[in-house]
Amino acid sequence: MAKEQAMFGAGCFWGVQFVFQKTHGVIKTDVGYSGGKMKNPCYEDVCTGETEHAEVVHIIFDPSKISYKKLLDIFWKSHDPTTLNMQWPDVGNQYRSVIFYYNNEQKKTAEKSKNEWQKKTLKKIVTQIFKAMKFYKAEDYHQDYVKKHGSNSCHIAVNPYL
């Protein structure tokens, strides 16, 4: 089985992970941090906003069962890509909307997808698109958080747009 990877930041990583865990073709998800300047950051470091990391979900998926474009569609629907450095009650640069791509094909697909979604909204989409940087897995207590604590623990897990 061929495997590919994707990485998205769409606010609090708990709910984003839950959304992708329920997606057919997704093999594995981990929450963590990427896009910053500090090595091996912990949650408390990232929450200061000084590390410049985003809370992200790293995804391993089977491209024969789900396309990268479909993953992007789920990403767009799971958050508000027009809010800068915040998602619902969560505020800070760690909650920004960001796509980290792993190859040129993913970059092209992400850019095209962003342009398509921009045509569907009146507000400017502020989602960043960057080459994937090092992924730092978050602490164990953050992994599978919604599965452990229920969907009321995160606003994205109960998003009516999904």
Side-chain angles (χ1 to χ4, degrees):
M1 162 181 42
K3 295 179 189 174
E4 290 187 29
Q5 56 186 334
M7 188 163 48
F8 305 118
C12 172
F13 49 27
W14 296 341
V16 181
Q17 180 181 40
F18 184 71
V19 167
F20 283 106
Q21 285 174 328
K22 298 187 314 178
T23 303
H24 178 74
V26 169
I27 299 165
K28 183 177 187 331
T29 62
D30 289 301
V31 297
Y33 319 107
S34 191
K37 59 187 178 185
M38 177 185 235
K39 290 183 180 180
N40 299 312
C42 68
Y43 181 69
E44 289 75 20
D45 294 329
V46 173
C47 285
T48 67
E50 295 176 17
T51 70
E52 299 176 12
H53 286 87
E55 289 192 10
V56 297
V57 176
H58 181 260
I59 300 164
I60 303 295
F61 67 100
D62 180 345
S64 71
K65 294 182 179 174
I66 189 166
S67 67
Y68 184 68
K69 181 173 182 344
K70 179 65 177 165
L71 291 175
L72 286 166
D73 289 341
I74 294 165
F75 164 78
W76 295 118
K77 291 177 186 176
S78 69
H79 75 299
D80 182 352
T82 68
T83 56
L84 185 63
N85 297 333
M86 66 180 289
Q87 289 299 313
W88 295 285
D90 301 317
V91 178
N93 68 355
Q94 71 269 32
Y95 300 115
R96 68 188 177 272
S97 177
V98 60
I99 299 167
F100 289 101
Y101 62 86
Y102 283 91
N103 56 49
N104 285 332
E105 189 61 35
Q106 282 189 356
K107 179 182 180 184
K108 287 183 217 170
T109 304
E111 290 170 345
K112 182 178 179 184
S113 179
K114 180 179 177 180
N115 289 334
E116 290 169 358
W117 280 87
Q118 182 61 71
K119 292 175 186 173
K120 298 177 185 182
T121 184
L122 298 175
K123 296 180 186 177
K124 181 177 178 3
I125 289 179
V126 296
T127 303
Q128 301 169 319
I129 300 174
F130 294 122
K131 183 174 176 139
M133 299 173 73
K134 182 154 177 65
F135 171 75
Y136 297 98
K137 189 173 177 180
E139 298 80 357
D140 285 343
Y141 72 93
H142 287 298
Q143 305 300 326
D144 304 314
Y145 194 90
V146 174
K147 280 185 176 180
K148 295 174 193 171
H149 300 282
S151 63
N152 290 336
S153 61
C154 187
H155 60 279
I156 293 177
V158 293
N159 184 342
Y161 300 109
L162 293 172

